[in-house]
Amino acid sequence: MGLPEKLIYEIKRKNVILFVGAGVSNNLGLPLFDNLIRQIGEKLGYDPDEFESYGRYRELAEYYEIENNGINDLVKWMDEEWHRNSISLKDSKVHKLIFDLDFPIIYTTNYDRWLEKTYDSYGREYRKIVKVEDLVSLGNESTQIIKFHGDFSEENSIVLTESSYFERLDFETPLDIKLRSDILGKTILFIGYSLNDVNLRYLIFKLNKLWENSKHLDRRLSPYIFLAKPNPVQQKIFQKRGIEVVVSKQEREEDGLLQFLSELLEKSSEKQN
């Protein structure tokens, strides 16, 4: 797999912001959103297959919220399922590689706490940022893990329903303001996102808008995205938007991400002559 030399250079400089999507959590065998929607249907007394046909998962989650005056018990169920005792970090070499690459800032659209558990397990300090209070007295002494779509520990932070997602699209929260500051002069790397992931398309669109409206367009460094399988249509669109694409040649998606991160670690750890 050919790695961009510029990306390796920026990782060596600790100048890369990592964006982590659901594909990273899938390495631990976490339930997919299909399971969540089926659970919602069962809780509401529907046949799961029939319920899935009634809308997309954000719409169905909002229907659940309306019917139950909230999503507290749903979030509790998700938290329990996503953090079962049977799940072991040792089963995810990807999480260990993320830790070893030592990114100074990590944004994630995942709700689970396995990134944080990785840092706890290997004994490195970090700052988890979910709400505005977490932004107080931020320093550069430890890794920042920003839960961009919320965290199970804060029910009101979870971006799950259609309404909460539309509110997130405003891109005017304190976390968004922090992101505007973070991206100046830094490289962004997306991993764990599928080509059809609306989170990815939304983030890329918004990041482009941030740069277009910025007075510092000349300081923009090329974002990178790792794709677990080729798609010439989406690759061309990403490239048109100024994003450099790295595509896996592995048959299994999980093998591709593992190889990509392993090679990044190896190359970025090499001493310069």
Side-chain angles (χ1 to χ4, degrees), residues 1-4 226-227 246-250 255-261 263-264 267:
M1 184 185 302
L3 297 180
F226 171 78
L227 298 180
V246 181
V247 183
S248 170
K249 296 180 180 179
Q250 297 285 339
D255 291 340
L257 180 57
L258 183 61
Q259 180 189 15
F260 172 66
L261 294 177
E263 292 187 9
L264 269 186
K267 294 293 184 181

Side-chain angles (χ1 to χ4, degrees), residues 13-113:
R13 294 179 59 216
K14 304 298 179 188
N15 198 45
V16 175
I17 297 174
L18 183 68
F19 267 85
V20 174
V24 170
S25 293
N26 288 348
N27 281 277
L28 286 166
L30 270 60
L32 300 174
F33 273 99
D34 290 349
N35 301 93
L36 172 63
I37 295 308
R38 296 181 68 83
Q39 178 72 13
I40 291 175
E42 290 179 1
K43 283 179 175 290
L44 293 172
Y46 287 91
D47 174 80
D49 293 328
E50 178 185 10
F51 187 70
E52 284 184 289
S53 70
Y54 288 155
R56 293 168 296 185
Y57 83 85
R58 295 193 187 280
E59 297 171 302
L60 299 176
E62 179 138 354
Y63 177 69
Y64 182 90
E65 181 182 48
I66 294 170
E67 290 293 293
N68 288 272
N69 296 313
I71 58 172
N72 182 61
D73 59 335
L74 181 60
V75 170
K76 181 180 179 182
W77 176 83
M78 292 170 65
D79 193 358
E80 292 172 351
E81 283 294 301
W82 264 250
H83 299 102
R84 298 188 307 270
N85 291 333
S86 59
I87 299 174
S88 172
L89 274 174
K90 294 180 181 179
D91 296 331
S92 176
K93 295 179 181 178
V94 166
H95 281 77
K96 181 59 165 60
L97 285 166
I98 291 173
F99 174 84
D100 288 339
L101 282 160
D102 194 20
F103 295 96
I105 301 175
I106 300 174
Y107 281 79
T108 179
T109 48
N110 300 338
Y111 314 120
D112 65 77
R113 293 185 292 276

